[in-house]
Amino acid sequence: MQYQIYWTPQTQLFELQGATVDFRALDAVYYEHYFLPSGRVIATWHSNHHFQHEKKVSDLPQLLRGVTYTIERSIDNSERMFAYLVVTFYDDQYQKLATTSQNADKITITVPEHYAFYTIDLVSAGNGHFVFHNFVIRQQTAGVLRDNDLTIAPNLYAYLQVPEKITTKTLRVIFSEPEKMITDYMTDWINETQQAVQYIASSDVDAGFYRSHEPALIAAVKNARKQVHANKVEFVGYGPISSYAALYYQQQIKGSAAIISEDVELSPRPDLKIVRTVDNVQYLGNPIVANYQVDIIVPHPKYERLGMLNYDTPTPKELRRQQAYDAAHPKKSTISQFFTKNKNTR
């Protein structure tokens, strides 16, 4: 799981006198100051609750004790001014336990065992201007969000789950519905079976409607289909943006199908093939507009919609082959376990 942290009007700010702060977009804040001494804190994010304008605010996620995390900044620095992050952990007496301060795009921290809360400061160096996009926090793994997953384009990730034995020729591709601050695959909501599943996630705002890096995404799906020897692809969406992506990429790959949430009003054309729908979802707007400039964030999508997915039913030939295998290996029988419909909810 990855957390995206943005600079918003609710973020605690310092050094405003003589400064220009322009909130151009959620992921683009312009800061300018020509008289600010180096080493001054410009903004601070907190993991514990603090009060601001009589509201209780918490900016950062709680981290697991003893676990190593990567924090990566995305800031466009100018020639005369740059900004870096300082991470500080505190105990329950507000005493500092550890501080990490590096002028690097990516830093690694290990969470103290007995920390109570932590802060992340945005600190200045030089004077001039910079543009702050965000910084991300994720557990250190052998991949990005999971071991062995891939970054297939900037802010676009893919994870291919391949069972030991595959008994269906359909590759299922599941798009993650974008959430505020969080990027993750939906692996916890899909039971692992004998069907290969490719999970797609994006940390772009609104996931860029999964159109920002279309060629890379199509190439990743085709490579996965080739790797698992699938002859069909089934795209899955369970909210407005992921359903839109499923419909869109169903058009791009010949012979594929789309499974989307019911009542997602996307005004599909007749050539959009929807093989079946899953549960209900109230659509929040129309993403099919010029430049896709629509603000759609689903803070808490209903993941349980994914639990209603049926697994691909094997063909008679595949079923006979599986029955013969099970007869020869009675202790490894899988027919009833993996091809019973509606048994994959958690």
Side-chain angles (χ1 to χ4, degrees):
M1 181 180 294
Q2 175 176 284
Y3 301 93
Q4 290 87 233
I5 311 300
Y6 299 101
W7 180 347
T8 72
Q10 288 72 45
T11 304
Q12 186 177 10
L13 302 181
F14 305 90
E15 305 296 345
L16 290 177
Q17 186 173 359
T20 297
V21 182
D22 184 5
F23 292 93
R24 296 175 175 175
L26 176 63
D27 59 348
V29 179
Y30 176 87
Y31 181 85
E32 181 180 82
H33 204 310
Y34 286 95
F35 306 100
L36 184 65
S38 294
R40 295 290 183 88
V41 176
I42 297 172
T44 298
W45 291 263
H46 304 254
S47 70
N48 64 336
H49 291 294
H50 66 283
F51 286 90
Q52 187 178 80
H53 305 300
E54 299 181 354
K55 291 184 179 180
K56 208 173 186 181
V57 179
S58 181
D59 312 298
L60 299 172
Q62 290 296 329
L63 304 180
L64 300 175
R65 292 172 173 83
V67 174
T68 299
Y69 288 83
T70 296
I71 300 177
E72 188 171 350
R73 70 182 180 186
S74 178
I75 302 174
D76 296 335
N77 295 309
S78 62
E79 292 183 3
R80 297 178 56 194
M81 187 179 196
F82 65 89
Y84 59 97
L85 302 177
V86 177
V87 186
T88 305
F89 291 93
Y90 297 85
D91 63 17
D92 54 8
Q93 300 299 315
Y94 289 74
Q95 299 299 309
K96 291 183 181 181
L97 296 175
T99 298
T100 300
S101 173
Q102 297 178 26
N103 177 26
D105 287 337
K106 186 183 296 185
I107 61 176
T108 300
I109 60 169
T110 299
V111 181
E113 290 287 351
H114 304 293
Y115 93 101
F117 67 96
Y118 69 103
T119 61
I120 297 182
D121 297 326
L122 181 68
V123 180
S124 71
N127 20 66
H129 68 272
F130 61 84
V131 177
F132 179 94
H133 298 292
N134 65 14
F135 61 87
V136 301
I137 305 173
R138 58 176 175 261
Q139 286 192 35
Q140 192 175 53
T141 67
V144 185
L145 308 180
R146 296 283 192 283
D147 288 341
N148 303 318
D149 70 344
L150 299 171
T151 299
I152 58 177
N155 303 323
L156 184 64
Y157 318 108
Y159 175 61
L160 182 61
Q161 195 172 69
V162 183
E164 185 176 344
K165 182 177 182 182
I166 299 175
T167 59
T168 173
K169 294 294 185 178
T170 299
L171 169 68
R172 174 166 283 164
V173 179
I174 299 178
F175 295 97
S176 292
E177 187 69 22
E179 294 185 63
K180 188 177 181 179
M181 290 181 61
I182 296 175
T183 301
D184 203 5
Y185 307 117
M186 291 297 100
T187 52
D188 289 346
W189 295 88
I190 300 293
N191 282 349
E192 188 172 352
T193 69
Q194 290 176 301
Q195 181 172 10
V197 180
Q198 184 180 41
Y199 296 90
I200 305 290
S202 171
S203 59
D204 281 336
V205 176
D206 294 340
F209 294 102
Y210 289 102
R211 295 284 302 277
S212 303
H213 306 287
E214 181 180 328
L217 198 154
I218 291 175
V221 172
K222 289 183 176 180
N223 288 339
R225 182 175 64 179
K226 183 177 180 180
Q227 182 177 337
V228 301
H229 306 291
N231 54 25
K232 292 187 294 184
V233 177
E234 190 175 67
F235 294 103
V236 177
Y238 58 99
I241 292 176
S242 56
S243 293
Y244 167 71
L247 287 169
Y248 179 80
Y249 284 101
Q250 179 270 325
Q251 287 185 293
Q252 311 309 311
I253 296 185
K254 185 177 179 180
S256 62
I259 303 175
I260 69 167
S261 294
E262 197 175 44
D263 296 335
V264 175
E265 182 54 53
L266 296 173
S267 300
R269 297 190 302 275
D271 58 330
L272 286 174
K273 178 184 177 185
I274 307 172
V275 294
R276 56 186 183 269
T277 59
V278 181
D279 203 359
N280 292 325
V281 60
Q282 292 301 316
Y283 184 54
L284 303 179
N286 186 359
I288 309 180
V289 294
N291 300 321
Y292 314 104
Q293 296 299 315
V294 177
D295 183 20
I296 297 178
I297 288 289
V298 182
H300 301 289
K302 294 184 178 179
Y303 308 126
E304 58 268 21
R305 295 186 189 115
L306 294 173
M308 298 182 67
L309 292 173
N310 297 323
Y311 290 118
D312 192 55
T313 304
T315 64
K317 183 177 180 181
E318 291 171 336
L319 191 59
R320 288 194 297 272
R321 187 185 301 117
Q322 183 65 51
Q323 288 171 333
Y325 177 87
D326 290 343
H329 306 84
K331 293 184 179 181
K332 297 182 178 180
S333 179
T334 56
I335 289 287
S336 61
Q337 180 177 335
F338 291 107
F339 293 118
T340 301
K341 290 183 180 293
N342 296 324
K343 296 296 185 182
N344 63 325
T345 56
R346 288 200 172 184

